[in-house]
Coordinates of all heavy atoms in Angstrom, one line a residue:
M28 N 0.8 -1.2 0.0 CA 0.0 0.0 0.0 C 0.9 1.2 0.0 O 2.0 1.2 0.4 CB -0.9 0.0 1.2 CG -0.3 -0.2 2.5 SD -1.5 -0.7 3.7 CE -1.6 -2.5 3.4
T29 N 0.3 2.3 -0.5 CA 1.0 3.6 -0.6 C 1.0 4.2 0.8 O -0.1 4.3 1.4 CB 0.4 4.4 -1.6 OG1 0.5 3.8 -2.9 CG2 1.1 5.8 -1.8
I30 N 2.1 4.7 1.3 CA 2.2 5.3 2.6 C 2.5 6.8 2.4 O 3.4 7.2 1.7 CB 3.2 4.6 3.5 CG1 2.9 3.2 3.7 CG2 3.4 5.4 4.8 CD1 4.0 2.3 4.3
Y31 N 1.6 7.6 3.0 CA 1.8 9.0 3.0 C 2.3 9.4 4.4 O 1.7 9.1 5.4 CB 0.5 9.8 2.8 CG 0.2 9.9 1.3 CD1 -0.3 8.8 0.6 CD2 0.4 11.1 0.6 CE1 -0.6 8.9 -0.7 CE2 0.1 11.2 -0.8 CZ -0.4 10.1 -1.4 OH -0.7 10.2 -2.8
L32 N 3.5 10.0 4.5 CA 4.0 10.5 5.8 C 3.7 12.0 5.8 O 4.1 12.8 5.0 CB 5.5 10.2 5.8 CG 6.2 10.3 7.1 CD1 5.7 9.2 8.0 CD2 7.7 10.0 6.9
V33 N 3.0 12.4 6.9 CA 2.6 13.8 6.9 C 2.9 14.4 8.3 O 3.0 13.7 9.3 CB 1.0 14.0 6.7 CG1 0.6 13.5 5.3 CG2 0.2 13.2 7.7
D34 N 3.2 15.7 8.3 CA 3.3 16.5 9.5 C 2.0 17.2 9.7 O 1.4 17.8 8.7 CB 4.4 17.5 9.3 CG 5.8 16.9 9.6 OD1 5.8 15.7 10.1 OD2 6.8 17.6 9.4
I35 N 1.5 17.2 10.9 CA 0.2 17.9 11.2 C 0.5 19.1 12.0 O 1.3 19.0 13.0 CB -0.7 17.0 12.0 CG1 -0.8 15.6 11.4 CG2 -2.1 17.6 12.2 CD1 -1.8 15.5 10.2
E36 N -0.1 20.2 11.7 CA 0.1 21.4 12.5 C -1.3 21.9 12.9 O -2.1 22.2 12.0 CB 0.8 22.4 11.6 CG 1.3 23.6 12.4 CD 2.1 24.6 11.6 OE1 1.6 25.0 10.5 OE2 3.2 25.0 12.0
H37 N -1.5 22.0 14.2 CA -2.7 22.6 14.7 C -2.5 24.0 14.9 O -1.6 24.4 15.7 CB -3.2 21.9 16.0 CG -3.6 20.5 15.8 ND1 -4.8 20.1 16.3 CD2 -3.1 19.4 15.3 CE1 -5.0 18.8 16.0 NE2 -3.9 18.4 15.4
V38 N -3.2 24.9 14.3 CA -3.1 26.3 14.5 C -4.2 26.8 15.4 O -5.4 26.5 15.2 CB -3.2 27.1 13.1 CG1 -3.0 28.6 13.3 CG2 -2.2 26.5 12.1
T39 N -3.8 27.4 16.5 CA -4.8 27.9 17.5 C -5.0 29.4 17.4 O -4.1 30.1 16.9 CB -4.3 27.5 18.9 OG1 -3.1 28.2 19.2 CG2 -4.1 26.0 19.1
H40 N -6.1 29.8 17.9 CA -6.3 31.3 18.0 C -7.3 31.5 19.1 O -7.8 30.6 19.7 CB -6.8 31.9 16.7 CG -8.3 31.7 16.4 ND1 -9.0 32.3 15.5 CD2 -9.2 30.8 17.0 CE1 -10.2 32.0 15.4 NE2 -10.4 31.0 16.4
T41 N -7.5 32.8 19.4 CA -8.6 33.1 20.4 C -9.6 34.0 19.6 O -9.2 34.6 18.6 CB -8.0 33.9 21.5 OG1 -7.4 35.1 21.0 CG2 -7.0 33.1 22.3
C42 N -10.8 33.9 20.0 CA -11.8 34.8 19.4 C -12.8 35.2 20.4 O -12.8 34.6 21.5 CB -12.4 34.1 18.2 SG -13.2 32.6 18.5
P43 N -13.6 36.1 20.2 CA -14.6 36.6 21.2 C -15.5 35.5 21.7 O -15.8 35.5 23.0 CB -15.4 37.7 20.5 CG -14.6 38.1 19.3 CD -13.7 36.9 19.0
A44 N -15.9 34.6 20.9 CA -16.7 33.5 21.4 C -16.0 32.6 22.3 O -16.6 31.9 23.2 CB -17.3 32.7 20.2
Q45 N -14.7 32.5 22.2 CA -13.9 31.5 23.0 C -12.6 32.1 23.3 O -11.6 31.9 22.5 CB -13.8 30.2 22.2 CG -13.9 28.9 23.0 CD -13.9 27.7 22.2 OE1 -14.4 27.7 21.0 NE2 -13.3 26.7 22.7
P46 N -12.5 32.8 24.4 CA -11.2 33.5 24.6 C -10.0 32.7 24.9 O -8.9 33.1 24.8 CB -11.6 34.4 25.8 CG -12.9 34.0 26.3 CD -13.5 33.1 25.4
E47 N -10.3 31.4 25.3 CA -9.1 30.5 25.5 C -8.6 30.1 24.1 O -9.4 29.9 23.2 CB -9.6 29.2 26.2 CG -10.0 29.4 27.7 CD -8.8 29.8 28.5 OE1 -7.8 29.1 28.5 OE2 -8.9 30.9 29.2
P48 N -7.3 29.9 24.0 CA -6.8 29.5 22.7 C -7.3 28.1 22.4 O -7.4 27.2 23.2 CB -5.2 29.4 23.0 CG -5.0 30.2 24.1 CD -6.2 30.2 25.0
H49 N -7.8 28.0 21.1 CA -8.3 26.7 20.7 C -8.0 26.5 19.2 O -7.8 27.4 18.5 CB -9.9 26.7 20.9 CG -10.5 27.9 20.2 ND1 -10.6 29.1 20.8 CD2 -11.1 28.0 19.0 CE1 -11.2 30.0 20.0 NE2 -11.5 29.3 18.9
P50 N -7.9 25.2 18.8 CA -7.5 25.0 17.4 C -8.6 25.4 16.5 O -9.8 25.1 16.7 CB -7.3 23.5 17.4 CG -7.9 22.9 18.6 CD -8.1 24.0 19.6
F51 N -8.2 26.1 15.4 CA -9.2 26.4 14.4 C -8.8 26.1 13.0 O -9.6 26.2 12.1 CB -9.6 28.0 14.5 CG -8.6 28.8 13.8 CD1 -9.1 29.6 12.7 CD2 -7.3 28.9 14.0 CE1 -8.3 30.4 12.0 CE2 -6.4 29.7 13.3 CZ -6.9 30.5 12.3
D52 N -7.6 25.6 12.9 CA -7.2 25.2 11.6 C -6.2 24.0 11.7 O -5.4 24.0 12.7 CB -6.5 26.3 10.9 CG -6.3 26.1 9.4 OD1 -6.9 25.1 8.9 OD2 -5.5 26.8 8.8
I53 N -6.3 23.1 10.8 CA -5.3 21.9 10.9 C -4.7 21.9 9.5 O -5.4 21.9 8.5 CB -6.0 20.6 11.2 CG1 -6.7 20.7 12.6 CG2 -5.1 19.4 11.0 CD1 -7.5 19.4 12.9
R54 N -3.4 22.0 9.5 CA -2.6 21.9 8.2 C -1.8 20.6 8.1 O -1.2 20.2 9.1 CB -1.7 23.1 8.1 CG -2.5 24.4 8.0 CD -1.7 25.6 8.3 NE -2.7 26.7 8.6 CZ -2.5 27.9 8.1 NH1 -1.5 28.2 7.4 NH2 -3.5 28.8 8.3
R55 N -1.9 20.1 7.0 CA -1.1 18.8 6.8 C -0.1 19.1 5.7 O -0.4 19.6 4.6 CB -2.1 17.7 6.3 CG -3.0 17.3 7.4 CD -4.0 16.2 6.9 NE -4.9 15.8 7.9 CZ -6.0 16.5 8.2 NH1 -6.3 17.6 7.5 NH2 -6.8 16.2 9.1
T56 N 1.1 18.6 5.9 CA 2.2 18.8 4.9 C 2.6 17.3 4.6 O 3.0 16.6 5.5 CB 3.3 19.6 5.5 OG1 2.8 20.8 6.0 CG2 4.4 19.9 4.4
V57 N 2.6 17.0 3.4 CA 3.1 15.7 3.0 C 4.6 15.7 2.9 O 5.2 16.5 2.2 CB 2.5 15.2 1.6 CG1 3.1 13.9 1.2 CG2 1.0 15.2 1.7
I58 N 5.2 14.9 3.8 CA 6.7 14.9 3.9 C 7.3 13.9 2.9 O 8.3 14.1 2.3 CB 7.1 14.5 5.3 CG1 6.5 15.4 6.3 CG2 8.6 14.4 5.4 CD1 6.9 16.9 6.1
D59 N 6.6 12.7 2.8 CA 7.2 11.7 2.0 C 6.0 10.8 1.5 O 5.0 10.6 2.2 CB 8.2 10.9 2.8 CG 9.2 10.1 1.9 OD1 9.1 10.3 0.7 OD2 10.0 9.4 2.4
V60 N 6.2 10.2 0.3 CA 5.2 9.3 -0.2 C 6.0 8.0 -0.6 O 7.0 8.1 -1.3 CB 4.5 9.8 -1.5 CG1 3.5 8.8 -2.0 CG2 3.8 11.1 -1.1
I61 N 5.6 6.9 0.0 CA 6.3 5.6 -0.3 C 5.3 4.8 -1.2 O 4.3 4.3 -0.7 CB 6.6 4.9 1.0 CG1 7.5 5.8 1.9 CG2 7.3 3.6 0.7 CD1 7.4 5.5 3.3
P62 N 5.6 4.8 -2.4 CA 4.6 4.2 -3.3 C 4.6 2.7 -3.2 O 5.7 2.1 -3.0 CB 4.9 4.7 -4.7 CG 6.3 5.2 -4.6 CD 6.7 5.4 -3.2
A63 N 3.5 2.1 -3.4 CA 3.4 0.6 -3.3 C 3.6 0.0 -4.7 O 3.8 -1.3 -4.8 CB 2.1 0.2 -2.8
G64 N 3.7 0.7 -5.8 CA 3.8 0.2 -7.1 C 2.5 0.1 -7.8 O 1.5 0.6 -7.3
P65 N 2.6 -0.5 -9.0 CA 1.3 -0.5 -9.8 C 0.2 -1.3 -9.2 O 0.4 -2.2 -8.4 CB 1.8 -1.1 -11.1 CG 3.1 -1.8 -10.8 CD 3.7 -1.2 -9.6
C66 N -1.0 -0.9 -9.7 CA -2.2 -1.6 -9.2 C -2.1 -3.1 -9.5 O -1.6 -3.5 -10.6 CB -3.4 -1.0 -10.0 SG -4.9 -1.8 -9.6
R67 N -2.6 -3.9 -8.5 CA -2.5 -5.4 -8.7 C -3.8 -5.9 -9.2 O -4.0 -7.1 -9.5 CB -2.2 -6.1 -7.4 CG -0.7 -5.9 -7.1 CD -0.4 -6.5 -5.7 NE 0.6 -5.7 -5.0 CZ 0.6 -5.6 -3.7 NH1 -0.3 -6.3 -3.0 NH2 1.5 -4.9 -3.1
A68 N -4.8 -5.1 -9.3 CA -6.1 -5.6 -9.8 C -6.8 -4.5 -10.7 O -7.8 -4.0 -10.4 CB -7.0 -5.8 -8.6
P69 N -6.1 -4.2 -11.8 CA -6.6 -3.2 -12.7 C -8.0 -3.6 -13.2 O -8.3 -4.8 -13.4 CB -5.6 -3.1 -13.9 CG -4.5 -4.0 -13.5 CD -4.9 -4.9 -12.4
V70 N -8.8 -2.6 -13.5 CA -10.2 -2.8 -13.9 C -10.2 -2.4 -15.4 O -9.7 -1.3 -15.8 CB -11.1 -1.9 -13.1 CG1 -12.5 -2.1 -13.6 CG2 -11.0 -2.2 -11.6
T71 N -10.9 -3.2 -16.2 CA -11.0 -2.8 -17.6 C -12.4 -2.3 -17.8 O -13.4 -2.9 -17.4 CB -10.9 -4.1 -18.5 OG1 -9.5 -4.6 -18.3 CG2 -11.0 -3.7 -20.0
I72 N -12.5 -1.1 -18.3 CA -13.8 -0.5 -18.5 C -14.0 -0.3 -20.0 O -13.1 -0.1 -20.8 CB -13.9 0.9 -17.8 CG1 -12.8 1.8 -18.2 CG2 -14.0 0.7 -16.3 CD1 -13.0 3.3 -17.8
R73 N -15.3 -0.4 -20.4 CA -15.6 -0.2 -21.8 C -16.4 1.1 -22.0 O -17.2 1.4 -21.3 CB -16.4 -1.4 -22.2 CG -16.9 -1.4 -23.7 CD -17.8 -2.6 -23.9 NE -17.0 -3.9 -23.9 CZ -16.3 -4.3 -25.0 NH1 -16.4 -3.7 -26.1 NH2 -15.7 -5.5 -24.9
C74 N -15.9 1.8 -23.0 CA -16.6 3.0 -23.3 C -16.8 3.1 -24.8 O -15.9 3.3 -25.6 CB -15.8 4.2 -22.8 SG -16.6 5.8 -23.1
G75 N -18.0 2.8 -25.3 CA -18.3 2.7 -26.7 C -17.5 1.5 -27.3 O -17.6 0.4 -26.8
N76 N -16.7 1.7 -28.3 CA -15.9 0.6 -28.9 C -14.5 0.5 -28.2 O -13.8 -0.4 -28.6 CB -15.6 0.8 -30.4 CG -16.8 1.3 -31.1 OD1 -17.9 0.9 -30.7 ND2 -16.7 2.0 -32.2
T77 N -14.2 1.4 -27.3 CA -12.8 1.3 -26.8 C -12.9 0.7 -25.4 O -13.9 0.9 -24.6 CB -12.2 2.7 -26.8 OG1 -13.1 3.6 -26.3 CG2 -11.7 3.1 -28.1
T78 N -11.8 0.1 -25.0 CA -11.7 -0.3 -23.6 C -10.4 0.3 -23.1 O -9.5 0.6 -23.8 CB -11.6 -1.9 -23.5 OG1 -10.5 -2.3 -24.3 CG2 -12.8 -2.6 -24.0
A79 N -10.5 0.5 -21.8 CA -9.3 1.1 -21.1 C -9.1 0.3 -19.8 O -10.1 -0.1 -19.2 CB -9.5 2.6 -20.9
T80 N -7.9 0.2 -19.5 CA -7.5 -0.4 -18.2 C -7.1 0.6 -17.2 O -6.2 1.4 -17.5 CB -6.4 -1.5 -18.4 OG1 -6.9 -2.4 -19.3 CG2 -6.2 -2.2 -17.1
I81 N -7.7 0.7 -16.1 CA -7.4 1.7 -15.1 C -7.1 1.1 -13.8 O -7.6 0.0 -13.5 CB -8.5 2.7 -15.0 CG1 -9.8 2.1 -14.5 CG2 -8.7 3.6 -16.2 CD1 -11.0 3.0 -14.1
A82 N -6.3 1.7 -13.0 CA -6.0 1.2 -11.7 C -7.3 1.1 -10.8 O -8.2 2.0 -11.0 CB -5.0 2.1 -10.9
C83 N -7.4 0.1 -10.0 CA -8.7 -0.1 -9.3 C -9.1 1.0 -8.4 O -10.3 1.3 -8.2 CB -8.7 -1.4 -8.6 SG -7.7 -1.5 -7.1
H84 N -8.1 1.8 -7.9 CA -8.5 2.9 -7.0 C -9.3 4.0 -7.7 O -9.9 4.8 -7.1 CB -7.3 3.5 -6.3 CG -6.4 4.3 -7.1 ND1 -5.4 3.8 -7.9 CD2 -6.4 5.6 -7.4 CE1 -4.8 4.8 -8.5 NE2 -5.4 5.9 -8.2
R85 N -9.2 4.0 -9.1 CA -10.0 5.0 -9.8 C -11.4 4.5 -10.0 O -12.2 5.3 -10.6 CB -9.3 5.3 -11.1 CG -7.9 5.9 -10.9 CD -7.2 6.2 -12.1 NE -7.9 7.1 -13.0 CZ -7.7 7.3 -14.3 NH1 -6.6 6.7 -14.8 NH2 -8.4 8.1 -15.0
H86 N -11.7 3.3 -9.7 CA -13.0 2.7 -10.0 C -13.7 2.2 -8.8 O -14.9 2.2 -8.7 CB -12.8 1.6 -11.1 CG -14.0 1.1 -11.7 ND1 -14.6 0.0 -11.4 CD2 -14.7 1.7 -12.7 CE1 -15.7 -0.2 -12.1 NE2 -15.8 0.8 -12.9
E87 N -13.0 1.6 -7.9 CA -13.6 0.9 -6.8 C -13.5 1.8 -5.5 O -12.6 2.6 -5.3 CB -12.8 -0.4 -6.5 CG -12.7 -1.4 -7.6 CD -14.0 -2.0 -7.9 OE1 -14.9 -2.0 -7.0 OE2 -14.2 -2.5 -9.0
P88 N -14.5 1.6 -4.6 CA -14.4 2.2 -3.3 C -13.2 1.7 -2.5 O -12.8 0.6 -2.8 CB -15.8 1.9 -2.6 CG -16.3 0.7 -3.4 CD -15.7 0.7 -4.7
A89 N -12.8 2.4 -1.5 CA -11.6 2.1 -0.8 C -11.6 0.7 -0.3 O -10.5 0.0 -0.3 CB -11.4 3.1 0.3
K90 N -12.7 0.2 0.1 CA -12.8 -1.2 0.7 C -12.4 -2.2 -0.3 O -11.9 -3.3 0.1 CB -14.2 -1.4 1.2 CG -14.5 -0.9 2.6 CD -15.9 -1.4 3.1 CE -16.9 -0.6 2.3 NZ -18.3 -0.7 2.8
R91 N -12.7 -2.0 -1.6 CA -12.5 -3.1 -2.5 C -11.2 -2.8 -3.3 O -10.9 -3.5 -4.3 CB -13.7 -3.1 -3.5 CG -15.0 -3.3 -2.8 CD -15.9 -4.3 -3.5 NE -16.1 -4.0 -4.9 CZ -17.1 -3.3 -5.3 NH1 -18.1 -2.9 -4.5 NH2 -17.3 -3.1 -6.6
Q92 N -10.4 -1.9 -3.0 CA -9.2 -1.6 -3.7 C -8.1 -2.7 -3.4 O -8.1 -3.2 -2.3 CB -8.6 -0.2 -3.4 CG -9.5 0.8 -4.0 CD -9.1 2.2 -3.5 OE1 -8.1 2.4 -2.9 NE2 -10.0 3.2 -3.8
C93 N -7.2 -2.9 -4.3 CA -6.1 -3.9 -4.1 C -5.1 -3.3 -3.1 O -5.1 -2.1 -2.8 CB -5.5 -4.3 -5.4 SG -4.4 -3.0 -6.0
G94 N -4.3 -4.2 -2.6 CA -3.3 -3.8 -1.6 C -2.4 -2.7 -2.1 O -2.0 -1.8 -1.3
A95 N -2.0 -2.6 -3.4 CA -1.1 -1.6 -3.8 C -1.8 -0.2 -3.9 O -1.1 0.8 -3.7 CB -0.6 -2.0 -5.2
C96 N -3.1 -0.2 -4.1 CA -3.8 1.1 -4.3 C -4.2 1.7 -3.0 O -4.4 2.9 -2.9 CB -5.0 1.0 -5.2 SG -4.6 0.7 -6.9
R97 N -4.3 0.9 -1.9 CA -4.7 1.5 -0.7 C -3.7 2.5 -0.1 O -2.5 2.4 -0.3 CB -4.9 0.4 0.4 CG -6.3 -0.2 0.1 CD -6.8 -1.1 1.3 NE -7.6 -2.1 0.6 CZ -7.8 -3.3 1.0 NH1 -7.1 -3.7 2.0 NH2 -8.6 -4.1 0.3
I98 N -4.3 3.5 0.6 CA -3.4 4.5 1.1 C -3.4 4.5 2.6 O -4.5 4.4 3.2 CB -3.9 5.9 0.6 CG1 -3.6 6.0 -0.9 CG2 -3.3 7.0 1.3 CD1 -4.2 7.2 -1.6
I99 N -2.3 4.6 3.2 CA -2.2 4.7 4.6 C -1.5 6.1 4.9 O -0.5 6.4 4.3 CB -1.2 3.6 5.2 CG1 -1.9 2.3 5.0 CG2 -0.9 3.9 6.6 CD1 -2.4 1.7 6.3
V100 N -2.1 6.8 5.8 CA -1.5 8.1 6.2 C -0.9 7.9 7.6 O -1.6 7.5 8.5 CB -2.6 9.2 6.2 CG1 -2.0 10.5 6.7 CG2 -3.2 9.4 4.8
T101 N 0.4 8.2 7.7 CA 1.1 8.1 8.9 C 1.4 9.6 9.4 O 2.1 10.3 8.6 CB 2.4 7.3 8.8 OG1 2.0 6.0 8.4 CG2 3.1 7.2 10.1
E102 N 1.0 9.9 10.6 CA 1.3 11.3 11.1 C 2.7 11.2 11.8 O 2.8 10.6 12.8 CB 0.2 11.7 12.0 CG -1.1 11.8 11.3 CD -2.3 12.0 12.2 OE1 -2.2 12.0 13.4 OE2 -3.4 12.2 11.6
R103 N 3.6 11.9 11.2 CA 5.0 11.9 11.7 C 5.1 12.7 12.9 O 5.5 12.3 14.0 CB 6.0 12.3 10.7 CG 7.4 12.1 11.1 CD 8.4 12.7 10.0 NE 8.3 14.1 10.0 CZ 9.2 14.9 9.4 NH1 10.2 14.4 8.8 NH2 9.1 16.2 9.4
T104 N 4.7 14.0 12.8 CA 4.7 14.9 14.0 C 3.4 15.6 14.0 O 2.8 15.9 13.0 CB 5.9 15.9 13.9 OG1 5.7 16.7 12.8 CG2 7.2 15.3 13.9
I105 N 3.0 16.0 15.2 CA 1.8 16.8 15.4 C 2.3 18.0 16.3 O 2.7 17.8 17.4 CB 0.7 16.1 16.1 CG1 0.3 14.9 15.2 CG2 -0.5 17.0 16.3 CD1 -0.8 14.0 15.9
T106 N 2.2 19.2 15.7 CA 2.7 20.4 16.5 C 1.5 21.3 16.6 O 0.5 21.3 15.8 CB 3.8 21.1 15.8 OG1 3.5 21.3 14.4 CG2 5.1 20.2 15.8
T107 N 1.6 22.2 17.6 CA 0.5 23.2 17.8 C 1.2 24.5 17.9 O 2.3 24.7 18.5 CB -0.2 22.9 19.2 OG1 -0.7 21.6 19.1 CG2 -1.3 23.9 19.4
R108 N 0.7 25.5 17.2 CA 1.2 26.8 17.3 C 0.1 27.8 17.1 O -0.9 27.6 16.5 CB 2.3 27.0 16.2 CG 1.7 27.1 14.8 CD 2.7 27.7 13.8 NE 2.2 27.6 12.4 CZ 1.4 28.6 11.9 NH1 1.1 29.6 12.6 NH2 1.0 28.5 10.7
P109 N 0.4 29.0 17.7 CA -0.7 30.1 17.5 C -0.7 30.6 16.1 O 0.3 30.6 15.4 CB -0.3 31.1 18.6 CG 1.1 30.8 19.0 CD 1.5 29.4 18.5
H110 N -1.9 31.1 15.8 CA -2.1 31.7 14.6 C -1.4 33.1 14.6 O -1.4 33.8 15.6 CB -3.6 32.0 14.4 CG -4.1 32.6 13.2 ND1 -4.5 33.9 13.0 CD2 -4.1 32.0 11.9 CE1 -4.9 34.1 11.8 NE2 -4.6 33.0 11.1
T111 N -0.7 33.4 13.5 CA 0.0 34.7 13.4 C -0.6 35.5 12.2 O -1.2 35.0 11.4 CB 1.5 34.5 13.2 OG1 1.7 33.7 12.1 CG2 2.1 33.8 14.4
L112 N -0.2 36.8 12.3 CA -0.7 37.7 11.2 C -0.3 37.3 9.8 O -1.0 37.6 8.9 CB -0.2 39.1 11.5 CG -1.0 39.8 12.6 CD1 -0.4 41.2 12.8 CD2 -2.5 40.0 12.2
G113 N 0.8 36.7 9.7 CA 1.3 36.3 8.4 C 0.5 35.2 7.7 O 0.6 34.9 6.6
D114 N -0.3 34.4 8.5 CA -1.1 33.3 8.0 C -2.2 33.8 7.1 O -2.8 34.8 7.4 CB -1.7 32.5 9.1 CG -0.6 31.7 9.8 OD1 0.4 31.3 9.2 OD2 -0.8 31.4 11.0
A115 N -2.5 33.0 6.1 CA -3.7 33.3 5.4 C -4.9 32.9 6.2 O -4.8 31.9 6.9 CB -3.7 32.5 4.1
A116 N -5.9 33.7 6.1 CA -7.2 33.4 6.8 C -7.0 33.1 8.3 O -7.2 32.0 8.8 CB -7.9 32.2 6.2
Ligands
ZN212 ZN1 -12.3 30.7 17.4
ZN213 ZN1 -5.4 -1.4 -7.4

């Protein structure tokens, strides 16, 4: 399966409704992707006179995807920081 290694950053702020700092944004940065290789159960679809073979993850729901297409997200670090003026929104 394909593994996504991500860093998570919780951005906190205060606002009139909740003067205690609280998380209001979560940012994820993909640090690394470890690909599992090509699809092991490609699906052939027919469209008019043509057929095409596509990786199963483009056709099947996550539960029915092959081992290579499934995605695992691993959270490497989780940090918390206050919102600053330089941030968008
Ligand atoms: Zn708030
Ligand atoms: Zn697949």
Side-chain angles (χ1 to χ4, degrees):
M28 54 197 84
T29 300
I30 298 170
Y31 279 76
L32 197 62
V33 296
D34 278 352
I35 311 280
E36 190 177 51
H37 289 234
V38 183
T39 61
H40 80 165
T41 57
C42 59
Q45 221 177 323
E47 292 294 309
H49 53 277
F51 84 119
D52 194 14
I53 297 174
R54 292 163 197 224
R55 292 178 183 81
T56 309
V57 177
I58 303 304
D59 203 4
V60 179
I61 302 151
C66 179
R67 286 179 216 149
V70 180
T71 302
I72 53 166
R73 178 183 290 276
C74 183
N76 315 333
T77 46
T78 57
T80 302
I81 58 171
C83 71
H84 72 273
R85 298 178 57 194
H86 192 259
E87 301 290 341
K90 275 186 289 192
R91 304 222 309 261
Q92 290 170 11
C93 73
C96 285
R97 278 195 207 145
I98 289 173
I99 292 254
V100 177
T101 300
E102 295 171 356
R103 188 184 68 166
T104 61
I105 301 177
T106 52
T107 302
R108 71 166 173 87
H110 185 251
T111 56
L112 281 177
D114 285 333

